[in-house]
Amino acid sequence: MAVHPLQSLSRQETELAKDLLLAQHYEELLIFREIYLQEPPKAELVSFLDLEHSGQLTESSPRPARLAKCQYDVVGSDKIPAYHESILDLGACHRIKHEIIGKEHHAALTLSEFDTLVKVCQASKAFQDAISELVIPEGFEVVIEPWPYGGLDIDDENRRYFQGLVFAQDTRNGNPHSNFYAFPLPLIPIMDAEKKEVVRIDRLATGGKGDSLRGKTHSPEVLEHCANAEYVPELLPNGTRKDLKPLHVLQPDGPSFVVKDDSLVEWQKWRFRVSFNPREGAVLHDVRYDGRSVVYRLAVSEMTVPYADARPPFQRKQAFDFGDGGAGNCANNLALGCDCLGVIKYFDSVTVESNGKVKDHPNVVCLHEQDNGIGWKHTNWRTGRAVVTRNRELVVQFIITLANYEYVFAYKLDQAGGITVETRATGIVSCVNIDAGKTSDYGNVVNPGVLAQNHQHVFAIRLDPAIDGQKNTVIQEESHTVPMNKETNPNGNFYEVRQLPFKQSGWADAAPEHNRVFKVVNPGKRNRISGKPVGYKLTPPATQLLLADAKSVQSQRAAFAHHHLWVTKYKDDELYAAGRFTMQSRKEFGGVADAVAREDDVENEDVVIWSVFGLTHNPRVEDWPVMPVEIHQIQFKPSDFFEGNPSIDVPSSSDQMSKEVAKEVCCNGA
Amino acid sequence: MAVHPLQSLSRQETELAKDLLLAQHYEELLIFREIYLQEPPKAELVSFLDLEHSGQLTESSPRPARLAKCQYDVVGSDKIPAYHESILDLGACHRIKHEIIGKEHHAALTLSEFDTLVKVCQASKAFQDAISELVIPEGFEVVIEPWPYGGLDIDDENRRYFQGLVFAQDTRNGNPHSNFYAFPLPLIPIMDAEKKEVVRIDRLATGGKGDSLRGKTHSPEVLEHCANAEYVPELLPNGTRKDLKPLHVLQPDGPSFVVKDDSLVEWQKWRFRVSFNPREGAVLHDVRYDGRSVVYRLAVSEMTVPYADARPPFQRKQAFDFGDGGAGNCANNLALGCDCLGVIKYFDSVTVESNGKVKDHPNVVCLHEQDNGIGWKHTNWRTGRAVVTRNRELVVQFIITLANYEYVFAYKLDQAGGITVETRATGIVSCVNIDAGKTSDYGNVVNPGVLAQNHQHVFAIRLDPAIDGQKNTVIQEESHTVPMNKETNPNGNFYEVRQLPFKQSGWADAAPEHNRVFKVVNPGKRNRISGKPVGYKLTPPATQLLLADAKSVQSQRAAFAHHHLWVTKYKDDELYAAGRFTMQSRKEFGGVADAVAREDDVENEDVVIWSVFGLTHNPRVEDWPVMPVEIHQIQFKPSDFFEGNPSIDVPSSSDQMSKEVAKEVCCNGA
């Protein structure tokens, strides 16, 4: 059977794309960045999906072409790389689109560029001289952690740069996994990526309250007051807890999900496709419940992490973890049993290295079920009969590591028709050196000599709804007090529910004081019971939005982070909340702000919603050395879509394997 | 060993209290309401706990007296019951306090009063006549569901009333658990509790949009257009799902918790006591992590559910589920395997019936562990070494049924020092009859002829902190934009963190746009690493507060529901957010609003915080016939209390029993 249009490119397809590109650019030097599936135009894909769902799909049915999106540098005779993007038709073996991206935008980074930064710094005399101004204790080695440059400063030439955060690792304990973040060094080398040279070394302030923004306050012995802060278990001073008894999840009859074509998932009336790409990580497509369409496409679109330390150059600590280098590229290989429990299905991906070599990127997405407590319960007070069901969820999860930080992204589907996108932030807070005994307005001292800087994490989820079809309307609904009055509210207890549909593309903010929710409805289809249009609802989490001054580069490059909800009219390839090119941007380009500026009609149209939420993170000592997960969820739940609780038919048998323990419960050991 | 002062009264102690009361009121008729532990005055209890924690407690140590709180009616020669409250010293066999509660307040209800309402209605000619005005189809029997009366109307005489919601149950299917809420009848009988007579029958409007607030629009055949809506599995038209495979939680080495004295729980460095009483349900006391005090007492203090249907008499649908009848009294017996998974410990309670008979109330609280996904993770990008731990939680849970509704309350402790209070609302939405084909501004039609009325659920959690000691300060902290300026914010990326301590008792609201959090700190103790006072933080969920007009009885009796956070100075027995007496109240008395009006000094004092949050519930069809859980959480997390992540030492072994499945996963059957 032919490959489904939504399946990620296979290894062979990726190799074919690479070969086609090499042939296209015969005799030019190519440096590969990404090759992955270019999803078909919606009009073609919807036709195909309709055929698929009607059961009438055959081998000879028309199907969208298999297209590869290719991003690469072409190095001309002048040795200067130019960034190209091409789309190849893999069936026809033919290029159908070709763009040479101008210098006003920068390509997303590849991990090989990060490797280059490290090597260039190590070989740089300027850098070694700068290091020798500091006292690096015996047995410590210098670590350079590559970062994107951040937003170009006003006086920066528009060249491609990388910056390196610098730490020292204690090698005296002979353990290569010793935590180097405990020993931050106050300098940031800047590399010109084209010249492959260190062009500048920023010296970092290490002062505290009352010290100036730019002055040097430290002696050469910058690490003297620092201390180890290990997290790998073999280096913990007191070892690990001995009294935690095992808890296993057992599924003796196997999982309740079925996976076909390594992409189609069916579970508890849900049916959807999973794909994976180097930018967004895992994506859900064509999500249906009991055969009815709910969501056309769901993905994490972007995230940005601006740092709030006023001292230059910290304004350039602001990564866009999806646009700058691709979240998918940073996805962890999810080891068995650690990241998920129970019966687990893994999905693999494929990446291309800068020399064109195609590599496996295995176990980047995991699929498993979990129990999330009680689903519903009622006890009939007259008869005493209790009926209770468990809330079983299906989880599609991937985890990304960006230098110090980790983010766990999980799409959760439940038996009551709900879709949840959950993010968990963990990993190591980014930190800088601070003089002994000082505190700072820019963050919190989490270890001697270590200042964890204040920052925010702002996420954007792109959800392309298809509530019983593509033409939907987004409605803002609120509940309001009504003044007591004899005619309509004699006892003052009545409150009014008000609705306001989006007629044009635009934005809105959370307003929990009004119980503001957003409903995506199909105006052409009514719920037979309530008479209201079928729909799903989303309550945007009322989190703080971007704090940086609106005139700042940090703010201007993240316009998406200024509002909680954006509503746009569908446009092919309009996937990225902060636009296609975030590397070194000064201003958001082609993101949601530009999309809504088109003022498209969005009422009863093919709409897309973008949900923005975040975490203002003023680190606490408990976030160190690795932070306990900070969890956020957005929920997309049915709202008069169904004719009753869709999980009413979940069986309520008691769990035979649960055990009661005696009144006095004693544990061995510990 | 003597009983711990925080242990709930045993069966024997309860019997003793009853006997002492009978002796005290020799020759009077007593109708018992409640007998339960009167917790010792804080000054005495803290002294005892200090001794206990110091390891110096002996049999001869001074300990607080065992006191019983007794609530009962005394029926005088005039046959009119008067409501009394007494406190008995069970050791000295002596009454130490006695109050005769005046008529301006009403005692909380007992289930026997509910039984009386049903019998009185069944025997009432007025009620039977009212029923005969309606056509009750063959095979249906009338069901009367007792409710508290709600806030007294302005023209109500101050007598004790009960109201009954009326439904018809389909008995044709021979199943006593058939869902009678699908057949609501439009009348509410009112019983005078003293006279034990139906004194009025309210006729309910059944109209829709455009119909008047009071007119009758229905014919006698009020149930003709209604339809069955079953939830017990044997009555489901299409049966239950057959493709859900079992998921078991196995703890082969037993649980990691230890329980002693049927009240002391130790788990993963946590140590606390659990008690249970008929008003608050489960209560946590003396909560410590690694020997350090965090919380003195934590309980759900009150909740109210006001209905927003403007048509009289629906303004009187407003229960206070803790104050009106006691949440503990309504606690479910948690069957094995259904409400909890894994290894479970149950706690029992004891109740007293109106005739003084002491009964067991078993399995009202369950204790178990659960896995809540990843706790923390970091992958060292240089070495590829990933360290990941699971987030194991300890759950103390109880579930209450109030007529149609269920609420699951869970206290969750995690290994990173966090405390979560989680509420799940489920059960059956309260509904009334609506004419065929109509819709309403007062709710949603969820079944033919069934209108689920709009309402709110507002909860108050009382948390008495003791951060390393009793003297704490509550600080409001926010993060604010700072305008770009050359001196302090040259690149515009800096934001400012501002703190404002509570000096006097008062209230505050959530302000997520400012990332407003509340920190409870011990000003006398600094974190050695950060230099900041040790503390815990709470982010009040920014949910909508009470919507009813401020002049309405609904609003005035629930002043607590007007703000998200209340900060008061500790006062013995000041436990109830809406005051001691909520039954038929017109105005909140002795609740948090009165407490803050004392304008006590609360800076570096023994403070108490009350967290208020809620759900504005405009029912959707999916909430019928039983609603999928609606989940809310408040979190109390350490903030510079510890010197690092307290869960850094949780072991990270992989789960040997998890299994990977093949790329193609097929299920048998289904």
Side-chain angles (χ1 to χ4, degrees):
Chain A
M1 193 73 188
V3 165
H4 191 278
L6 286 168
Q7 268 177 268
S8 305
L9 293 189
S10 67
R11 205 194 167 92
Q12 294 86 328
E13 288 176 311
T14 308
E15 297 267 13
L16 173 59
K18 175 199 71 178
D19 291 338
L20 287 171
L21 268 184
L22 288 170
Q24 191 81 50
H25 290 277
Y26 191 62
E27 291 196 346
E28 289 176 297
L29 173 63
L30 297 193
I31 302 173
F32 292 88
R33 293 185 176 275
E34 310 292 354
I35 297 176
Y36 58 100
L37 178 73
Q38 165 69 32
E39 290 171 25
K42 190 178 219 182
E44 290 183 39
L45 185 54
V46 168
S47 296
F48 177 85
L49 294 173
D50 287 344
L51 209 54
E52 178 186 4
H53 289 292
S54 72
Q56 291 169 350
L57 196 63
T58 66
E59 280 288 343
S60 56
S61 300
R63 48 180 60 220
R66 287 292 277 173
L67 305 176
K69 186 202 302 280
C70 308
Q71 298 166 345
Y72 55 99
D73 290 357
V74 177
V75 185
S77 47
D78 58 358
K79 304 285 174 72
I80 294 173
Y83 174 56
H84 290 228
E85 294 196 356
S86 290
I87 296 181
L88 309 175
D89 180 327
L90 297 178
C93 289
H94 180 70
R95 176 156 71 184
I96 63 171
K97 188 173 180 191
H98 181 212
E99 276 184 273
I100 302 177
I101 307 301
K103 291 291 184 192
E104 68 272 23
H105 299 299
H106 289 268
L109 64 91
T110 61
L111 296 175
S112 59
E113 293 186 279
F114 269 5
D115 292 341
T116 300
L117 172 79
V118 175
K119 293 191 180 82
V120 163
C121 288
Q122 286 168 339
S124 156
K125 182 175 189 310
F127 179 71
Q128 295 306 337
D129 287 349
I131 287 291
S132 58
E133 290 169 21
L134 306 167
V135 172
I136 310 297
E138 190 80 34
F140 279 72
E141 70 180 38
V142 171
V143 174
I144 299 147
E145 175 173 271
W147 274 52
Y149 187 68
L152 287 168
D153 286 325
I154 199 75
D155 43 9
D156 275 326
E157 206 186 329
N158 180 17
R159 296 184 60 74
R160 188 175 182 79
Y161 302 108
F162 284 88
Q163 60 182 339
L165 304 197
V166 188
F167 305 89
Q169 177 163 337
D170 186 350
T171 68
R172 298 169 304 174
N173 50 32
N175 190 316
H177 316 291
S178 180
N179 181 16
F180 53 80
Y181 295 101
F183 302 98
L185 294 172
L187 72 170
I188 289 181
I190 310 297
M191 173 184 86
D192 181 308
E194 234 176 76
K195 295 181 186 168
K196 292 188 174 50
E197 259 174 49
V198 171
V199 292
R200 185 174 84 244
I201 298 182
D202 289 338
R203 301 309 202 275
L204 309 180
T206 60
K209 294 189 193 189
D211 290 327
S212 91
L213 263 54
R214 290 178 175 77
K216 174 174 164 179
T217 55
H218 65 82
S219 70
E221 290 82 9
V222 283
L223 296 181
E224 200 171 39
H225 57 296
C226 297
N228 289 72
E230 308 295 354
Y231 64 89
V232 292
E234 66 272 19
L235 289 177
L236 291 178
N238 303 315
T240 54
R241 299 180 187 211
K242 299 292 177 283
D243 59 345
L244 186 62
K245 300 197 169 173
L247 184 150
H248 303 300
V249 171
L250 211 64
Q251 297 182 265
D253 296 350
S256 309
F257 54 77
V258 175
V259 179
K260 295 174 184 153
D261 303 334
D262 210 24
S263 61
L264 174 64
V265 181
E266 291 168 298
W267 176 83
Q268 292 295 289
K269 305 190 188 181
W270 286 104
R271 181 191 188 283
F272 61 94
R273 296 246 169 210
V274 186
S275 71
F276 185 89
N277 68 69
R279 177 143 183 172
E280 297 162 296
V283 178
L284 301 197
H285 307 263
D286 193 27
V287 183
R288 294 175 180 242
Y289 189 97
D290 217 9
R292 291 172 65 194
S293 170
V294 179
V295 167
Y296 177 75
R297 192 183 195 276
L298 173 61
V300 185
S301 176
E302 190 57 87
M303 64 174 292
T304 188
V305 187
Y307 282 77
D309 192 322
R311 303 169 296 180
F314 297 127
Q315 74 283 356
R316 281 189 296 91
K317 279 179 80 167
Q318 180 187 19
F320 285 73
D321 294 319
F322 284 67
D324 285 355
N329 281 329
C330 305
N332 296 171
N333 179 331
L334 302 171
L336 202 61
C338 292
D339 296 298
C340 321
L341 287 190
V343 174
I344 306 156
K345 153 113 188 97
Y346 293 104
F347 295 88
D348 303 329
S349 185
V350 148
T351 62
V352 66
E353 297 194 316
S354 56
N355 60 6
K357 183 166 170 195
V358 176
K359 268 185 68 172
D360 288 326
H361 195 188
N363 305 330
V364 287
V365 182
C366 72
L367 176 76
H368 67 280
E369 292 171 270
Q370 61 191 23
D371 176 278
N372 186 14
I374 287 169
W376 58 261
K377 181 176 188 182
H378 185 61
T379 297
N380 182 320
W381 59 266
R382 298 174 86 223
T383 65
R385 166 85 178 271
V387 184
V388 57
T389 67
R390 304 297 298 181
N391 180 13
R392 184 83 65 90
E393 297 176 327
L394 184 73
V395 183
V396 178
Q397 175 166 288
F398 66 106
I399 303 177
I400 65 176
T401 301
L402 283 316
N404 51 300
Y405 255 127
E406 259 78 12
Y407 302 95
V408 182
F409 295 103
Y411 302 106
K412 306 201 296 182
L413 305 180
D414 60 61
Q415 295 157 310
I419 301 172
T420 298
V421 181
E422 180 182 281
T423 61
R424 293 187 179 212
T426 181
I428 303 183
V429 285
S430 188
C431 47
V432 292
N433 191 296
I434 184 168
D435 299 336
K438 292 185 181 174
T439 58
S440 170
D441 290 327
Y442 306 126
N444 203 17
V445 176
V446 294
N447 213 48
V450 175
L451 178 73
Q453 296 163 308
N454 292 343
H455 58 282
Q456 298 185 283
H457 307 259
V458 188
F459 303 87
I461 307 297
R462 178 183 180 281
L463 192 154
D464 183 350
I467 308 298
D468 270 339
Q470 294 292 342
K471 287 168 98 67
N472 297 154
T473 296
V474 180
I475 297 175
Q476 174 176 297
E477 181 180 289
E478 302 178 352
S479 299
H480 285 269
T481 295
V482 173
M484 196 183 309
N485 72 84
K486 206 150 156 287
E487 292 72 35
T488 67
N489 191 14
N491 292 291
N493 64 311
F494 170 60
Y495 65 76
E496 186 177 57
V497 177
R498 298 181 199 160
Q499 292 196 332
L500 197 67
F502 273 81
K503 293 186 181 294
Q504 278 198 332
S505 56
W507 54 260
D509 286 327
E513 69 278 16
H514 300 315
N515 197 45
R516 181 176 291 172
V517 303
F518 295 94
K519 291 186 170 173
V520 182
V521 305
N522 185 325
K525 192 164 170 203
R526 301 250 146 201
N527 184 297
R528 253 187 355 145
I529 306 289
S530 69
K532 295 182 176 163
V534 298
Y536 260 66
K537 67 176 178 177
L538 181 127
T539 303
T543 54
Q544 190 165 41
L545 293 165
L546 207 70
L547 278 164
D549 187 298
K551 296 190 296 298
S552 68
V553 169
Q554 272 198 356
S555 179
Q556 303 226 330
R557 54 196 305 243
F560 81 90
H562 297 171
H563 297 295
H564 288 113
L565 189 87
W566 302 82
V567 179
T568 62
K569 184 169 179 175
Y570 178 85
K571 188 162 181 281
D572 278 332
D573 294 320
E574 191 162 69
L575 299 173
Y576 311 127
R580 276 164 78 191
F581 305 105
T582 59
M583 275 286 277
Q584 301 185 195
S585 59
R586 280 197 173 107
K587 198 172 184 304
E588 186 180 287
F589 176 80
V592 285
D594 287 339
V596 309
R598 293 195 300 264
E599 294 182 343
D600 293 326
D601 292 331
V602 293
E603 193 169 17
N604 197 24
E605 288 286 352
D606 186 356
V607 296
V608 176
I609 63 178
W610 313 68
S611 172
V612 174
F613 60 95
L615 162 62
T616 295
H617 192 182
N618 302 332
R620 41 178 200 150
V621 178
E622 288 86 359
D623 290 333
W624 177 266
V626 182
M627 72 181 262
V629 292
E630 189 73 35
I631 304 174
H632 286 258
Q633 292 187 342
I634 59 163
Q635 298 192 307
F636 198 53
K637 297 168 77 150
S639 184
D640 287 15
F641 186 74
F642 297 105
E643 294 187 356
N645 175 352
S647 67
I648 203 70
D649 61 348
V650 170
S652 57
S653 54
S654 57
D655 179 33
Q656 304 307 329
M657 297 190 78
S658 288
K659 285 183 185 335
E660 176 177 2
V661 296
K663 292 215 175 312
E664 296 305 303
V665 182
C666 299
C667 288
N668 297 325
Chain B
M1 193 73 186
V3 165
H4 192 279
L6 286 168
Q7 268 176 268
S8 306
L9 293 189
S10 66
R11 205 194 168 93
Q12 294 86 325
E13 289 176 310
T14 309
E15 297 266 12
L16 174 57
K18 176 200 70 180
D19 292 338
L20 287 172
L21 269 182
L22 288 169
Q24 191 83 49
H25 290 276
Y26 190 61
E27 289 195 346
E28 287 175 298
L29 173 63
L30 298 194
I31 301 172
F32 292 87
R33 293 184 175 278
E34 310 291 356
I35 297 176
Y36 59 99
L37 179 72
Q38 165 69 32
E39 290 170 25
K42 191 179 218 181
E44 289 183 41
L45 185 53
V46 168
S47 297
F48 177 84
L49 293 173
D50 286 346
L51 209 54
E52 180 186 1
H53 289 292
S54 71
Q56 293 171 348
L57 197 62
T58 66
E59 280 290 343
S60 56
S61 302
R63 48 180 61 220
R66 288 291 278 172
L67 306 176
K69 187 201 304 278
C70 308
Q71 298 166 346
Y72 54 100
D73 291 355
V74 178
V75 185
S77 45
D78 58 359
K79 305 285 175 71
I80 294 172
Y83 175 56
H84 292 228
E85 294 197 357
S86 289
I87 296 180
L88 309 176
D89 181 327
L90 297 179
C93 288
H94 180 71
R95 176 157 70 184
I96 64 172
K97 188 171 178 190
H98 182 210
E99 276 182 273
I100 302 176
I101 308 301
K103 291 290 182 193
E104 66 273 22
H105 299 298
H106 288 269
L109 65 90
T110 60
L111 295 174
S112 58
E113 291 185 281
F114 270 4
D115 292 341
T116 300
L117 171 80
V118 175
K119 294 191 179 81
V120 162
C121 287
Q122 285 169 340
S124 155
K125 183 177 189 310
F127 179 70
Q128 295 305 336
D129 287 348
I131 288 290
S132 56
E133 289 168 21
L134 307 167
V135 172
I136 310 297
E138 190 80 35
F140 279 72
E141 71 179 39
V142 170
V143 174
I144 299 146
E145 176 173 270
W147 274 52
Y149 187 68
L152 286 169
D153 288 325
I154 199 77
D155 43 9
D156 274 327
E157 208 186 327
N158 180 18
R159 295 183 60 72
R160 187 176 182 79
Y161 303 107
F162 284 89
Q163 62 181 338
L165 305 197
V166 189
F167 306 88
Q169 177 162 337
D170 187 350
T171 68
R172 298 168 303 175
N173 52 31
N175 190 315
H177 318 290
S178 181
N179 182 15
F180 53 80
Y181 295 101
F183 301 98
L185 294 172
L187 72 171
I188 290 180
I190 311 296
M191 174 186 84
D192 180 308
E194 232 175 79
K195 294 180 186 168
K196 295 191 172 52
E197 258 174 48
V198 171
V199 292
R200 185 174 84 246
I201 297 181
D202 288 338
R203 299 312 201 274
L204 310 179
T206 60
K209 295 189 194 190
D211 290 326
S212 93
L213 263 54
R214 289 179 176 76
K216 173 174 166 178
T217 55
H218 65 82
S219 69
E221 291 83 7
V222 284
L223 298 180
E224 199 170 40
H225 59 296
C226 297
N228 289 75
E230 307 295 354
Y231 63 89
V232 292
E234 66 271 19
L235 290 178
L236 292 178
N238 302 316
T240 54
R241 302 181 186 210
K242 299 293 177 284
D243 60 344
L244 186 62
K245 300 197 170 174
L247 186 150
H248 303 299
V249 171
L250 212 63
Q251 297 182 267
D253 297 351
S256 308
F257 53 78
V258 176
V259 179
K260 296 175 182 153
D261 303 334
D262 211 24
S263 62
L264 175 64
V265 181
E266 291 168 296
W267 176 82
Q268 294 295 288
K269 306 191 188 181
W270 286 104
R271 181 192 189 281
F272 60 95
R273 297 247 167 209
V274 185
S275 71
F276 185 90
N277 68 70
R279 179 147 181 169
E280 298 161 295
V283 178
L284 302 196
H285 307 263
D286 193 27
V287 184
R288 295 174 179 243
Y289 189 99
D290 216 9
R292 292 172 66 194
S293 169
V294 178
V295 168
Y296 178 74
R297 191 181 195 277
L298 173 61
V300 184
S301 176
E302 191 56 88
M303 65 173 292
T304 188
V305 187
Y307 282 77
D309 192 322
R311 302 168 298 178
F314 297 127
Q315 73 284 357
R316 281 191 295 92
K317 280 180 80 168
Q318 181 187 19
F320 286 72
D321 294 320
F322 284 67
D324 285 355
N329 280 329
C330 304
N332 297 172
N333 179 332
L334 302 171
L336 201 61
C338 292
D339 296 297
C340 321
L341 286 190
V343 174
I344 307 155
K345 151 109 188 98
Y346 294 103
F347 295 88
D348 303 328
S349 186
V350 148
T351 62
V352 65
E353 298 193 317
S354 55
N355 60 7
K357 183 169 167 187
V358 176
K359 267 185 71 173
D360 288 326
H361 196 188
N363 306 329
V364 286
V365 181
C366 72
L367 176 76
H368 67 278
E369 293 171 88
Q370 63 191 23
D371 175 280
N372 187 13
I374 287 169
W376 58 261
K377 181 176 187 182
H378 186 61
T379 297
N380 183 319
W381 59 265
R382 299 174 85 224
T383 66
R385 166 85 177 272
V387 184
V388 56
T389 67
R390 305 296 299 179
N391 179 14
R392 185 82 66 89
E393 297 176 327
L394 184 73
V395 183
V396 178
Q397 175 167 289
F398 66 106
I399 303 178
I400 65 177
T401 301
L402 284 315
N404 52 298
Y405 255 126
E406 259 78 14
Y407 302 96
V408 182
F409 296 103
Y411 302 105
K412 306 202 294 182
L413 305 180
D414 61 61
Q415 295 155 310
I419 301 172
T420 299
V421 181
E422 179 181 283
T423 60
R424 295 187 178 210
T426 181
I428 302 183
V429 284
S430 188
C431 48
V432 292
N433 191 297
I434 184 167
D435 301 335
K438 293 185 181 173
T439 59
S440 169
D441 290 328
Y442 307 126
N444 204 17
V445 176
V446 295
N447 214 49
V450 175
L451 178 73
Q453 296 163 309
N454 292 343
H455 57 281
Q456 298 185 284
H457 306 259
V458 188
F459 303 87
I461 308 297
R462 178 184 180 279
L463 192 154
D464 183 351
I467 307 298
D468 270 339
Q470 294 292 342
K471 287 167 98 70
N472 297 154
T473 296
V474 180
I475 297 176
Q476 174 176 298
E477 180 180 289
E478 301 178 352
S479 299
H480 284 269
T481 295
V482 173
M484 196 183 312
N485 73 85
K486 207 151 157 283
E487 291 72 37
T488 67
N489 190 15
N491 293 292
N493 63 312
F494 170 60
Y495 64 77
E496 186 178 58
V497 178
R498 298 182 198 158
Q499 291 196 332
L500 197 67
F502 274 82
K503 292 186 182 293
Q504 278 198 332
S505 55
W507 54 261
D509 288 327
E513 68 279 15
H514 301 314
N515 196 45
R516 180 176 291 172
V517 303
F518 295 94
K519 292 187 169 173
V520 183
V521 306
N522 183 325
K525 193 166 169 205
R526 303 247 147 204
N527 184 297
R528 258 191 348 149
I529 308 289
S530 69
K532 295 182 177 164
V534 298
Y536 260 66
K537 69 177 176 175
L538 180 127
T539 303
T543 54
Q544 189 166 44
L545 293 165
L546 207 70
L547 279 165
D549 186 300
K551 296 190 295 299
S552 67
V553 169
Q554 273 199 356
S555 178
Q556 303 225 330
R557 50 196 307 240
F560 81 90
H562 297 171
H563 297 294
H564 288 112
L565 189 87
W566 302 82
V567 179
T568 62
K569 184 169 179 176
Y570 177 86
K571 189 162 180 282
D572 278 331
D573 294 319
E574 191 162 69
L575 300 173
Y576 310 127
R580 279 164 76 191
F581 305 105
T582 60
M583 275 287 275
Q584 299 183 198
S585 59
R586 281 197 172 107
K587 196 170 185 303
E588 187 179 286
F589 175 80
V592 286
D594 286 339
V596 310
R598 294 194 301 262
E599 293 180 343
D600 293 326
D601 291 330
V602 293
E603 192 168 18
N604 197 25
E605 288 287 351
D606 187 355
V607 296
V608 176
I609 63 178
W610 313 68
S611 173
V612 174
F613 61 96
L615 162 63
T616 295
H617 192 183
N618 302 331
R620 42 178 199 149
V621 178
E622 288 85 0
D623 290 333
W624 176 266
V626 182
M627 71 181 265
V629 292
E630 189 74 35
I631 305 175
H632 286 259
Q633 293 187 341
I634 59 162
Q635 299 192 306
F636 198 52
K637 297 169 78 152
S639 183
D640 288 15
F641 186 75
F642 296 105
E643 293 186 358
N645 175 352
S647 66
I648 204 70
D649 61 349
V650 170
S652 59
S653 54
S654 56
D655 178 34
Q656 304 306 329
M657 295 190 80
S658 287
K659 286 184 189 328
E660 175 176 4
V661 294
K663 293 214 176 314
E664 296 305 301
V665 182
C666 298
C667 289
N668 296 326

